[in-house]
Amino acid sequence: MVSAIGNLVLSRHRDESIVIGGEVTVTVVDIRGDKVRLAVNAPQQTTVHRREVYEAIKRGGGDPTKR
């Protein structure tokens, strides 16, 4: 396992993408003010959550979007 030392910061415009690990693609769909809409294309077995949802699941509260 490789541990990360820092963050990789990338600039992207609308309709531009990044590829993670050869299997996950993240595309900038829209930019409105301080909000960015992203599309994530990942294998079906890959879970994708917003950070606040992921943290709630880790705390044992389950997925708050499914209540």
Side-chain angles (χ1 to χ4, degrees):
M1 174 179 271
V2 177
S3 61
I5 296 174
N7 291 316
L8 172 63
V9 178
L10 302 170
S11 296
R12 300 281 73 202
H13 294 281
R14 183 176 292 131
D15 297 324
E16 292 184 337
S17 302
I18 62 168
V19 178
I20 302 169
E23 293 187 337
V24 177
T25 302
V26 180
T27 304
V28 177
V29 175
D30 195 19
I31 304 168
R32 292 185 185 177
D34 65 346
K35 289 198 176 198
V36 177
R37 293 184 64 177
L38 302 172
V40 179
N41 185 342
Q44 188 172 5
Q45 68 273 15
T46 303
T47 58
V48 178
H49 298 287
R50 295 185 325 261
R51 178 173 294 279
E52 63 273 17
V53 172
Y54 177 74
E55 294 296 333
I57 292 168
K58 278 181 40 178
R59 284 192 307 271
D63 187 342
T65 64
K66 301 208 174 165
R67 291 184 187 157

